[in-house]
Amino acid sequence: MSSTPPREPSSARPQPKVAYWRQNLIVIGILLSIWAFVAFGCSILWIEWLNQFTIGNLPLGFWFAQQGSMYVFIVLILVYALVMDYLDRKHDVKE
């Protein structure tokens, strides 16, 4: 007879926090959508329309393509960190 180790009851296993991950994925989806809109939309697709406006003496489409999308990306990183910190506290998730 071979002895097999006893199995743990399913209730003893930690259950994933489904609500936490769902909210995490929603936040990521929203922030990636904003990034795609700025990086691709404002820098490539609508550049001709945006170039009728200027920041200083640079066309707005050029500004988004060269600098604006990077600034928006940095702001999105900050927003993600703050929102995830809030969600970690709300769902009692510790590192």
Side-chain angles (χ1 to χ4, degrees):
M1 270 184 151
S2 67
S3 65
T4 58
R7 292 186 176 192
E8 290 183 31
S10 62
S11 62
R13 288 186 222 146
Q15 296 296 319
K17 296 197 174 195
V18 176
Y20 171 77
W21 286 108
R22 183 174 294 132
Q23 289 179 344
N24 185 0
L25 291 175
I26 289 170
V27 168
I28 290 172
I30 290 169
L31 295 178
L32 282 176
S33 298
I34 294 169
W35 172 76
F37 173 78
V38 171
F40 297 114
C42 295
S43 300
I44 298 170
L45 299 176
W46 301 296
I47 193 167
E48 311 264 330
W49 183 80
L50 288 172
N51 280 340
Q52 66 184 336
F53 308 103
T54 60
I55 292 183
N57 55 350
L58 292 174
L60 186 59
F62 176 78
W63 185 84
F64 268 110
Q66 297 300 314
Q67 297 172 347
S69 58
M70 290 184 287
Y71 292 144
V72 170
F73 187 68
I74 291 169
V75 169
L76 291 177
I77 291 171
L78 175 65
V79 168
Y80 177 75
L82 294 173
V83 170
M84 288 311 299
D85 191 42
Y86 167 76
L87 287 178
D88 288 349
R89 284 193 312 270
K90 179 181 173 185
H91 293 280
D92 196 30
V93 176
K94 297 182 173 83
E95 293 182 8

